[in-house]
Amino acid sequence: MKLRQDNKIYPFLLNNEWKESESGKTIKILSPDDESIVGSVPSMTQEEVDTAARASKQAQLEWADTPIDERVALLHRWADELEKMEDEIGAIIQHEVGKDVSSAKGEVTRTAELIRYTAEQGLRVKGEYMTGDGFPGGGKNKKALVQKVPHGVVLAISPFNYPVNLSAAKIAPALVTGNTVLFKPATQGAISGIKMIEALVKAGLPQGVLNLVTGRGSVIGDFIVTHPSIDMISFTGGTETGKHIAKEASMIPIVLELGGKDPAIVLEDANLDKAANEIVSGAFSYSGQRCTAIKRVLVMEDVADDLVRKLKEKVEGLTVGFAADGANVVPMIDDKSANYVETLIDDAKDKGATVVTTGERKKNLLYPTLLDNVTEKMRVAWEEQFGPVLPVIRINNEFEAIDLERRNKYGLQASIFTNNMEDAFRIADKLETGTVQLNGKTSRGPDHFPFLGVKNSGQGVQGIGRSIDSMLRDKVVVINL
Ligand code: NAP
Ligand code: G3P
């Protein structure tokens, strides 16, 4: 694979000006594939971040007053500009977060479609009209006009694994509803985010309506989260980060999309070939670095041997290597994450798990590992691996599956594989998750479906319509005749 080096500093955006930080400090971003330099982004000073937040606040009233058709038109132009940059941005996503190029380009296409759908959905936001006589003593002389109005400034904080799609999934609904945005991309993903916003500037972003800040969340995060100009936070990332943000931010609405430990529950009558296909794809695509990755298999003992055999065959058929070469299993985002996955595997092996298939480790490239006979005593049964390891837990009945799911601290999604829809719904009704997939792998799309996690997987709901709702509040005008 050709080593690509780019020593360019990709600037932050303040009032539609691309700027470098007066601190002179930058953060170098290395590719997970080969540690080649993707580029650098400014490590902004607190003063610069403060100016950016205030700029978003300054622009908000005028943006909210902009006719909806103009806000919608901006989003459509943004989608068009993104599509023109698909190859360029796809290549940067691939280089920066180690996603194979077809998935990376697919992320750009998916995002353009998300933006267009959001634009059209944004046109259809409606208020409400109520009369007082609907309530005893209310009287016909009272008329209520219930409007939907923007919160003000939305702080959009996104994770590394979908640096464009999960950012736009916050920015587009915020803009179409008349909010302005302070955008904080994941540092590993910031260049992809900057290129995405370049497309928005090309589309005619009015000055100050979106400001983009760069810098490590651990350094500038608390400052932006508690900044007085911020009126709503939409965060996607790890559970511990989300919990911290929720503690720091107070008195403003917050939507959190966090970690998961999604199970695939396989019943005796499941189509095992389909289940094996969906499970391996769900568990190992992008090396399992997806919140909705299948992160454990709960399989009925009677079919466990057959399923494990099928899983082994498919895991061993996965290509392993560089994202730039289009491998299925790619280097993880960093060494620290790979080390964590290794500790989970070692813990399971020490406690008696069967290693069905595994492989070597080359720096942050971990070969996929399939573990059988995993028990509750093993950390990998409960902790989010966010990497290419899949634990199989054998169960004797559905109640064990439900119990394991309910005792798990996460509640994002679950898959149930069975041909009996009555069994599927009976089990689904008892699972404490945001979504249950029947005979399919756990996944977020399509992007207009509600997407949510409960327990430690989040609060509030995303998905285009729900995201639009989350960026608006009621404002009631009562006419007393
Ligand atoms: P992360 O480490 O929590 O970072 C997420 C974002 O938060 C990044 O932009 C990060 O900035 C920022 N951040 C970190 N500390 C902060 C603070 N104190 N205040 C404000 N912002 C702060 O998560 P990640 O490693 O990017 O993504 C992996 C995790 O996210 C996994 O747990 C995965 O399950 C979860 N995730 C969930 C979803 C979902 O939709 N539910 C989707 C994707 C990922 P820096 O990059 O500068 O640290
Ligand atoms: O972790 C990102 C999360 O949003 C998963 O998205 O589409 O891969 O299920 P998806």
Side-chain angles (χ1 to χ4, degrees):
M1 191 190 73
K2 189 165 119 5
L3 204 58
R4 291 167 294 169
Q5 303 281 9
D6 178 353
N7 288 303
K8 181 179 173 185
I9 297 174
Y10 290 82
F12 62 86
L13 184 71
L14 173 59
N15 274 328
N16 285 36
E17 273 186 72
W18 295 104
K19 301 167 79 83
E20 294 189 20
S21 173
E22 283 163 17
S23 74
K25 291 182 189 148
T26 60
I27 303 167
K28 190 173 288 186
I29 295 170
L30 304 181
S31 173
D33 251 3
D34 55 12
E35 295 181 313
S36 58
I37 303 168
V38 184
S40 297
V41 295
S43 180
M44 292 172 71
T45 65
Q46 194 165 114
E47 292 69 27
E48 288 164 341
V49 173
D50 178 54
T51 306
R54 292 174 188 279
S56 295
K57 192 71 175 176
Q58 182 67 33
Q60 198 270 323
L61 279 181
E62 187 176 342
W63 178 242
D65 206 29
T66 303
I68 176 70
D69 59 325
E70 289 181 33
R71 303 203 300 257
V72 165
L74 173 67
L75 291 194
H76 280 297
R77 294 195 301 271
W78 183 20
D80 296 344
E81 290 300 333
L82 265 182
E83 283 181 335
K84 290 178 199 166
M85 297 172 70
E86 181 188 320
D87 290 345
E88 179 188 6
I89 298 179
I92 288 177
I93 294 173
Q94 182 280 306
H95 198 198
E96 186 173 26
V97 299
K99 193 175 278 189
D100 68 274
V101 71
S102 65
S103 300
K105 287 171 68 174
E107 180 175 341
V108 179
T109 307
R110 174 180 180 180
T111 303
E113 287 154 3
L114 178 149
I115 293 167
R116 290 195 180 99
Y117 193 103
T118 304
E120 291 312 303
Q121 192 92 348
L123 264 178
R124 291 162 178 77
V125 170
K126 292 191 173 35
E128 203 176 347
Y129 169 72
M130 301 171 76
T131 58
D133 56 346
F135 190 82
K140 279 182 122 18
N141 65 318
K142 280 188 178 296
K143 316 288 185 188
L145 302 176
V146 185
Q147 306 169 58
K148 291 290 181 185
V149 300
H151 292 296
V153 178
V154 169
L155 171 58
I157 305 178
S158 54
F160 77 81
N161 61 346
Y162 279 86
V164 167
N165 185 262
L166 280 170
S167 305
K170 302 168 185 304
I171 294 166
L175 294 179
V176 80
T177 49
N179 294 278
T180 52
V181 177
L182 184 67
F183 173 34
K184 155 69 181 107
T187 295
Q188 192 88 28
I191 298 174
S192 306
I194 287 166
K195 297 304 284 185
M196 173 187 73
I197 299 304
E198 258 183 36
L200 180 57
V201 173
K202 282 180 194 167
L205 176 74
Q207 181 169 320
V209 168
L210 177 142
N211 295 283
L212 187 159
V213 294
T214 56
R216 295 222 179 273
S218 54
V219 175
I220 64 172
D222 287 359
F223 180 73
I224 44 177
V225 160
T226 57
H227 195 284
S229 296
I230 302 301
D231 301 299
M232 189 266 176
I233 298 173
S234 179
F235 171 81
T236 298
T239 291
E240 292 317 306
T241 310
K243 282 181 170 180
H244 174 77
I245 290 172
K247 279 198 196 109
E248 290 296 312
S250 65
M251 294 304 285
I252 58 173
I254 183 168
V255 171
L256 302 170
E257 296 289 354
L258 306 177
K261 188 70 180 178
D262 297 1
I265 299 169
V266 183
L267 304 184
E268 297 97 328
D269 70 332
N271 174 331
L272 295 183
D273 288 319
K274 177 171 176 64
N277 265 325
E278 290 293 301
I279 288 168
V280 170
S281 163
F284 293 103
S285 64
Y286 192 39
S287 296
Q289 296 175 115
R290 294 167 49 243
C291 62
T292 52
I294 288 181
K295 299 190 179 125
R296 53 186 184 163
V297 176
L298 311 178
V299 56
M300 291 293 196
E301 182 61 57
D302 290 355
V303 295
D305 288 346
D306 286 346
L307 179 68
V308 169
R309 188 167 45 252
K310 292 176 187 289
L311 292 174
K312 177 179 189 294
E313 187 184 327
K314 294 196 178 306
V315 172
E316 289 174 342
L318 293 170
T319 55
V320 183
F322 289 125
D325 298 334
N328 299 131
V329 177
V330 296
M332 292 184 66
I333 197 68
D334 54 32
D335 263 339
K336 182 179 161 221
S337 303
N339 293 340
Y340 175 67
V341 171
E342 263 196 335
T343 57
L344 295 180
I345 295 170
D346 292 345
D347 170 79
K349 284 158 64 174
D350 293 347
K351 292 172 183 172
T354 307
V355 180
V356 178
T357 183
T358 187
E360 57 189 308
R361 173 180 175 176
K362 294 174 186 167
K363 293 188 178 177
N364 53 324
L365 174 61
L366 246 57
Y367 277 62
T369 296
L370 177 64
L371 299 171
D372 191 4
N373 299 308
V374 170
T375 69
E376 291 193 29
K377 295 186 178 61
M378 300 169 193
R379 290 174 56 190
V380 74
W382 303 102
E383 296 180 33
E384 179 183 41
Q385 59 268 50
F386 217 66
V389 57
L390 181 63
V392 175
I393 300 172
R394 295 175 177 230
I395 57 175
N396 295 301
N397 55 60
E398 68 183 57
F399 305 105
E400 285 181 25
I402 293 163
D403 175 53
L404 279 167
E405 181 46 42
R406 293 179 71 88
R407 280 191 290 126
N408 163 37
K409 73 175 187 174
Y410 293 104
L412 194 59
Q413 297 202 6
S415 288
I416 302 173
F417 292 93
T418 175
N419 285 315
N420 183 318
M421 283 298 113
E422 196 179 318
D423 292 348
F425 276 93
R426 185 178 60 253
I427 296 169
D429 287 349
K430 296 189 179 67
L431 298 180
E432 264 190 313
T433 59
T435 303
V436 178
Q437 303 275 357
L438 303 186
N439 292 319
K441 66 187 175 190
T442 45
S443 74
R444 168 172 54 117
D447 290 340
H448 66 313
F449 281 10
F451 177 66
L452 69 152
V454 295
K455 301 194 284 186
N456 280 282
S457 290
Q459 73 179 28
V461 192
Q462 285 200 147
I464 295 167
R466 297 295 200 281
S467 293
I468 288 174
D469 294 344
S470 74
M471 308 276 182
L472 291 166
R473 68 170 178 87
D474 285 347
K475 183 167 182 186
V476 186
V477 175
V478 176
I479 303 165
N480 295 282
L481 298 175

